[in-house]
Structure formats: structure tokens, C-alpha cells
Amino acid sequence: MISITSHNSDITRGSCQKQKPPAGLKPWAVFLWLLIWQLASWKLNQPILLVSPAAVLKRLFELTLTTAFWKSIGFSLLRISTGFLCGAFAGTLLAALSSRFKRIRELFTPLILLAKTIPVASFIILVLIWIPSRNLSVFISFLMVLPVIYTNVLDGICSTNRELLEMAQVFSLSSWRKIRYIYISQVLPFFSSACTISLGLCWKAGIAAEVIGIPEGSIGENLYNAKVYIDTPDLFAWTLVIVIISVIFEKFVLFLLKLLVHRLQRL
């Protein structure tokens, strides 16, 4: 059992060495783009078309002092995160079943293909007929996350090192021990990558659903109102809020994922 774990960790470590991590966010690059934004705003001198970064930050600060601002964040965060978690769970479960049962894989392949190819706007309009606007972002986020998680986890399971599985069979390891010592570390990079991609997608799609459905007290409603009243500072401020929340939520989910895996490996 020890040899399986050590062999497994060597494989994971080797793959990490081959794949160079992307460069992180550099302060100088952020400052440069903010400077370009500020210069463009001065040059255009049309706040309705392009507001300055200073005006956006000022408006964002004003919004943070209101109760409605935090309620809107809570409304959208709860529903989009719920859609993400449900999509991640359903995608992982379906991938595990599809890897084991050929008929299940054949059954869900057309549905996954449809979910990946049909435009988000079409889904939103269709689903809005059956689901109240308050819960629209939950289902749309779920729908965006499901195919990404399903495809990546299924690929991870199918590409699991066959030598490790043969070794586990020789030592008569139980299914739980195979999952714990082999599948978790082998599938984890695929699942983490899928989470990183799907988190951005679910936020974009979830907010788009709110803009179309206009549920009361949501971030999407505030974006829609900013568009209707041509309130550019509000539009940019709420967009910045979406970016910040999306990044924080992604870091939090990946941190919880690493913590969960660490706990499972210590059981």
C-alpha cells in the first residue's frame, strides 16, 4: 500500500514539473492597465461612454455603505454558488457512473453535448418559462458547470494509470482504497482544472440570467438598472464587484478542495 502511494505521488509530482503554472497577477501590469484606462477616459472626456477608474472606485465605496448592496451580493452569491455545487456534484457522480457503465455514458452523451453547444441566452429564455426568475441563476449556473465537470472528471478517470490499477488488483485493494490511494490523486488535477474553468462560466452565465430575468434584489437587476438609466459608474462598479466575488469564490473553492483531499488522504 505504501508503494502505491509513493508511486502515485511521484507521478503527480512529475506531471506538475512538466506543466509550468501560469504567471500570477502582477501589480505593475494592473497599474499599467489602470493608467491606460484613466488616460483613455481623459482623452475621450465622455463619462457616459467611459468613466474613469477613480469615479468607479468612488461609486463602489458609496455602494458598500448601503444595505441593499450587501443584500444583492448575498442574493446572487447564494444562488450561483448553489448552482455550482450542484453542478460539480452531479457532474462528478455522472462521470463516475459513465466510466463504469457504458449505457449510462451513451445515454448522457447527447445531453452533455447539447449543454455545451446551445447558447446560454437560449437556455435562459427557455428555462425562464418554467422556473421563477429568483431561481433562474441556480439552474443556469448548474447547467454551465455540469458538462465541464463531467467531461474533465470522465477524462481523468479514463486516463488513470493502468499499472497502478493492476497493482491494486494484485494486492486485492477494496474499492474505497482504490479511490483513496489512486483515483483521488489521478483525477484531482482534472477536477481542479474543471472547477477553475466552470467557476468563471457559472458566474458569467448566472449574472446573465439575472440580467434577463431581473429578479428583485440581485446583482443582475442592478446591472440592468444601470443600463436602463445609462449610469456608467454603477455599471462599472457592479462589474468590478462581480470580478472580485468570482475571484474570491474561486480561491475559496480550490482551498476547500485541497483541504478535503488532504483530509481524505489522512483517513
Side-chain angles (χ1 to χ4, degrees), residues 2-20:
I2 295 175
S3 62
I4 292 176
T5 307
S6 60
H7 186 194
N8 206 12
S9 61
D10 290 340
I11 293 173
T12 305
R13 185 162 50 247
S15 64
C16 290
Q17 289 175 352
K18 291 178 184 177
Q19 295 180 355
K20 208 170 186 181

Side-chain angles (χ1 to χ4, degrees), residues 25 32 52 79 125 127 168 178 198 219 222 235 250:
L25 199 63
L32 178 61
S52 68
R79 283 158 176 77
I125 295 172
V127 173
K178 287 180 184 179
S198 58
I219 292 178
N222 288 283
L235 180 62
E250 177 184 334

Side-chain angles (χ1 to χ4, degrees), residues 43-208:
K43 180 68 176 177
L44 188 61
N45 196 25
Q46 294 283 346
I48 293 180
L49 299 178
L50 184 62
V51 69
S52 68
V56 173
L57 292 176
K58 178 184 177 183
R59 181 54 184 157
L60 180 59
F61 176 75
E62 293 172 353
L63 288 172
T64 58
L65 300 179
T66 64
T67 306
F69 172 81
W70 298 106
K71 286 184 176 179
S72 296
I73 290 178
F75 181 98
S76 298
L77 179 61
L78 176 62
R79 283 158 176 77
I80 294 176
S81 60
T82 300
F84 169 79
L85 293 175
C86 292
F89 176 78
T92 303
L93 180 61
L94 286 177
L97 293 173
S98 296
S99 67
R100 187 169 179 83
F101 303 105
K102 181 181 177 181
R103 295 304 179 193
I104 292 181
R105 184 173 183 174
E106 292 173 348
L107 176 65
F108 282 98
T109 295
L111 296 181
I112 296 298
L113 184 61
L114 282 175
K116 290 167 65 176
T117 54
I118 294 180
V120 179
S122 299
F123 267 131
I124 294 171
I125 295 172
L126 288 172
V127 173
L128 191 57
I129 299 174
W130 304 310
I131 296 179
S133 61
R134 291 183 62 85
N135 298 322
L136 180 63
S137 56
V138 178
F139 185 79
I140 295 300
S141 299
F142 167 84
L143 211 55
M144 291 299 103
V145 172
L146 177 64
V148 178
I149 298 291
Y150 173 85
T151 304
N152 280 266
V153 172
L154 184 59
D155 288 344
I157 295 174
C158 293
S159 62
T160 300
N161 192 297
R162 296 302 167 190
E163 294 179 359
L164 292 177
L165 295 175
E166 291 173 2
M167 188 184 299
Q169 188 174 1
V170 169
F171 286 98
S172 301
L173 293 183
S174 64
S175 298
W176 167 245
R177 290 180 182 271
K178 287 180 184 179
I179 294 173
R180 176 182 171 187
Y181 291 109
I182 299 177
Y183 283 110
I184 287 181
S185 60
Q186 294 284 294
V187 177
L188 179 60
F190 292 86
F191 183 73
S192 298
S193 176
C195 285
T196 303
I197 296 171
S198 58
L199 279 166
L201 286 176
C202 78
W203 273 97
K204 290 177 183 179
I207 296 299

Side-chain angles (χ1 to χ4, degrees), residues 226-252:
K227 186 266 295 185
V228 170
Y229 298 109
I230 319 178
D231 193 342
T232 311
D234 258 36
L235 180 62
F236 275 78
W238 280 108
T239 303
L240 181 59
V241 168
I242 296 169
V243 172
I244 293 173
I245 296 175
S246 178
V247 170
I248 293 175
F249 186 62
E250 177 184 334
K251 300 296 183 184
F252 179 69

